Amino acid sequence: MDFNVKKLASGAGVFFTRAVQFTEEKLGQAEKTELDPHLENLITRADCTKNWTEKILRQTEVLLQPNPSARIEEFIYDKLDKKLPSRTTNPELLGQYMLEAANEFGPGTPYGSTLITVGEYQKRLGGAERELLQTSAATFLTPLRNFLEGDWRTISKERRLLENRRLDLDICKARLKKAKQAEAKAAAAPDFQETRPRNYVLSASASALLSEEVDKAEHELRVAQTEFDRQAEVTRLLLEGIGSTHLNHLRCLQDFAEAQATYYAQCHHYMQDLQRELNKCANSVSTPHPTAAVCPDPDHLSSAFLSGPSSPVATVSSSSSQKPSKLDMEQTHFPVTGSRKAKVLYDYDAHDASELSLLADELITVYTVPGMDPDWLIGERGNQKGKVPVTYLELLS
């Protein structure tokens, strides 16, 4: 118990001494040891990294989850180290409402069938959004949080320790300075012109005591300088690791951008498919056949290759078979315009016989034909030929 009280009193004394030194430095009444310029630059760079990482993290969380209540829930589950329950995305919820409304209005009606088509695609958009959220959280948000909650806390702790070592060093410098001033004053010749009598004779024991005080202050200064230098080196090594942090965040940023590109490409592709489905619905409603008023199943995309009244293959007799005929890409010839090479950016699975499946990073030959949808091109790979979406390609010169 006595040991703890003494330790507590000693710690309080050290804290008070440091507080006095810090206050005097702020008031300009005490000297302050300046850090190495290189170390100062590293500290400034680290502070900048921390501040901008916090801002980027918060804004990315707002971008991916605009609902503040949902963000608070995610934060609580994360702090409790519990798995967050699966949450339905807004497009998925909208799609579910559309499907339920279609059942109420009648799936066989034009409005009901269109609600089913749009609802299915909304659920697909919601699935793509869910995948984006999961990928972004794993590849981008988590590394940023780990830096702020792990590496930065360690750096902050060592920086506080360095500041304490600097204060201790300056305290020792001030103590040595006062001890030397007292010794010099005691060794000076006494002034006998003083009006009041004083004892100007310094005993040998008092002189030895002052000399011993100076030696003690010099020893404490050497110890404080050694501890300060050691702590400055530790802090410097940690701060130089910020460069590795930047490289890690760079890779995470690239992964995040790639996840966004994949998400928007999927959304663009889904909306193109939805447009074609809705156009077919509109055309089927305008035909005299009573069975043509129902939109086709969105899971089976139309195999019609060209759209619009200007296409030579789009004018099909209404008396033909009700099942859509598949376009044989190998046997149909169109005038070729603008043949060039293209690199595939993402994998793509063909939805019907008129399209060509793609593999990421492969090279294919692409071209267009008169009257073709500008969002599509004709792709060739060896003897295979079919439509390919432009958003999945990087055209090469």
Side-chain angles (χ1 to χ4, degrees):
M1 182 64 181
D2 294 338
F3 174 78
N4 292 336
V5 172
K6 292 180 180 179
K7 184 176 180 181
L8 180 62
S10 176
V14 171
F15 176 80
F16 178 76
T17 306
R18 289 172 178 171
V20 171
Q21 176 68 24
F22 181 80
T23 303
E24 291 179 349
E25 289 176 356
K26 291 299 182 181
L27 296 176
Q29 299 176 358
E31 297 181 358
K32 176 181 178 181
T33 301
E34 299 295 337
L35 300 177
D36 180 77
H38 176 61
L39 185 58
E40 288 283 5
N41 292 334
L42 290 177
I43 291 176
T44 302
R45 185 188 185 200
D47 289 336
C48 182
T49 300
K50 180 254 185 183
N51 293 334
W52 283 111
T53 300
E54 285 181 335
K55 292 180 181 179
I56 292 173
L57 175 62
R58 286 197 299 266
Q59 193 57 39
T60 305
E61 290 174 340
V62 172
L63 173 66
L64 298 177
Q65 180 52 264
N67 189 348
S69 300
R71 294 200 302 271
I72 294 175
E73 182 183 0
E74 293 175 357
F75 176 79
I76 294 175
Y77 272 91
D78 180 65
K79 291 304 179 182
L80 296 177
D81 198 18
K82 292 185 177 181
K83 185 178 180 181
L84 183 68
S86 179
R87 183 184 294 111
T88 304
T89 61
N90 291 329
E92 289 176 326
L93 187 59
L94 176 60
Q96 184 62 35
Y97 287 166
M98 288 183 175
L99 295 179
E100 293 176 0
N103 291 330
E104 290 288 337
F105 299 142
T109 63
Y111 183 41
S113 61
T114 304
L115 279 173
I116 292 177
T117 302
V118 177
E120 290 292 340
Y121 278 98
Q122 291 297 327
K123 295 182 72 173
R124 295 183 186 182
L125 292 174
E129 180 180 336
R130 181 189 301 276
E131 184 177 353
L132 171 65
L133 296 177
Q134 294 174 350
T135 304
S136 301
T139 62
F140 189 61
L141 297 181
T142 299
L144 296 187
R145 289 197 191 99
N146 290 341
F147 166 72
L148 294 174
E149 298 176 1
D151 295 346
W152 182 252
R153 287 186 178 180
T154 302
I155 292 174
S156 299
K157 177 182 177 182
E158 297 300 329
R159 284 178 59 182
R160 288 192 298 269
L161 189 56
L162 176 63
E163 180 65 12
N164 290 337
R165 294 289 180 264
R166 185 196 64 76
L167 291 172
D168 293 341
L169 176 62
D170 289 336
I171 291 171
C172 290
K173 287 180 179 180
R175 187 176 299 157
L176 177 61
K177 184 178 179 180
K178 291 179 181 179
K180 287 185 176 181
Q181 288 177 350
E183 185 182 32
K185 184 177 180 180
D191 187 359
F192 290 99
Q193 297 180 359
E194 292 283 347
T195 58
R196 296 180 181 179
R198 292 186 180 181
N199 183 13
Y200 295 100
V201 180
L202 200 61
S203 64
S205 59
S207 178
L209 183 62
L210 288 175
S211 178
E212 183 178 336
E213 186 70 21
V214 171
D215 293 340
K216 180 181 178 181
E218 290 178 345
H219 174 71
E220 291 178 350
L221 178 60
R222 287 192 296 270
V223 173
Q225 184 69 53
T226 301
E227 292 180 351
F228 172 77
D229 293 339
R230 183 186 300 113
Q231 186 59 38
E233 181 65 17
V234 172
T235 306
R236 182 186 64 81
L237 292 175
L238 287 175
L239 292 174
E240 287 179 346
I242 292 294
S244 300
T245 300
H246 286 184
L247 292 177
N248 183 37
H249 289 181
L250 171 61
R251 290 189 291 268
C252 296
L253 185 61
Q254 291 172 341
D255 293 339
F256 176 60
E258 183 177 354
Q260 281 187 307
T262 302
Y263 166 69
Y264 289 119
Q266 289 177 338
C267 292
H268 181 68
H269 177 66
Y270 289 151
M271 296 312 297
Q272 282 184 319
D273 292 345
L274 177 58
Q275 273 189 316
R276 287 197 296 270
E277 291 295 325
L278 294 179
N279 289 336
K280 289 197 301 182
C281 289
N283 294 334
S284 63
V285 169
S286 62
T287 58
H289 298 285
T291 59
V294 179
C295 291
D297 187 354
D299 291 329
H300 299 82
L301 299 179
S302 172
S303 61
F305 176 53
L306 299 177
S307 62
S310 60
S311 171
V313 297
T315 56
V316 183
S317 174
S318 60
S319 60
S320 61
S321 174
Q322 294 181 357
K323 294 183 180 180
S325 59
K326 293 184 178 180
L327 181 63
D328 189 352
M329 299 301 301
E330 302 295 332
Q331 298 178 357
T332 307
H333 301 281
F334 300 95
V336 178
T337 60
S339 178
R340 59 195 301 184
K341 291 290 185 179
K343 179 182 177 181
V344 179
L345 299 177
Y346 320 104
D347 293 343
Y348 176 74
D349 295 329
H351 291 77
D352 53 49
S354 68
E355 298 181 1
L356 179 65
S357 296
L358 302 175
L359 295 176
D361 297 329
E362 70 172 334
L363 294 178
I364 62 173
T365 302
V366 295
Y367 55 87
T368 185
V369 296
M372 187 175 181
D373 189 335
D375 292 327
W376 294 81
L377 293 172
I378 303 298
E380 286 188 356
R381 182 180 55 239
N383 296 328
Q384 296 178 330
K385 182 189 304 182
K387 290 193 305 178
V388 294
V390 176
T391 54
Y392 281 68
L393 303 174
E394 178 186 353
L395 299 179
L396 305 177
S397 58

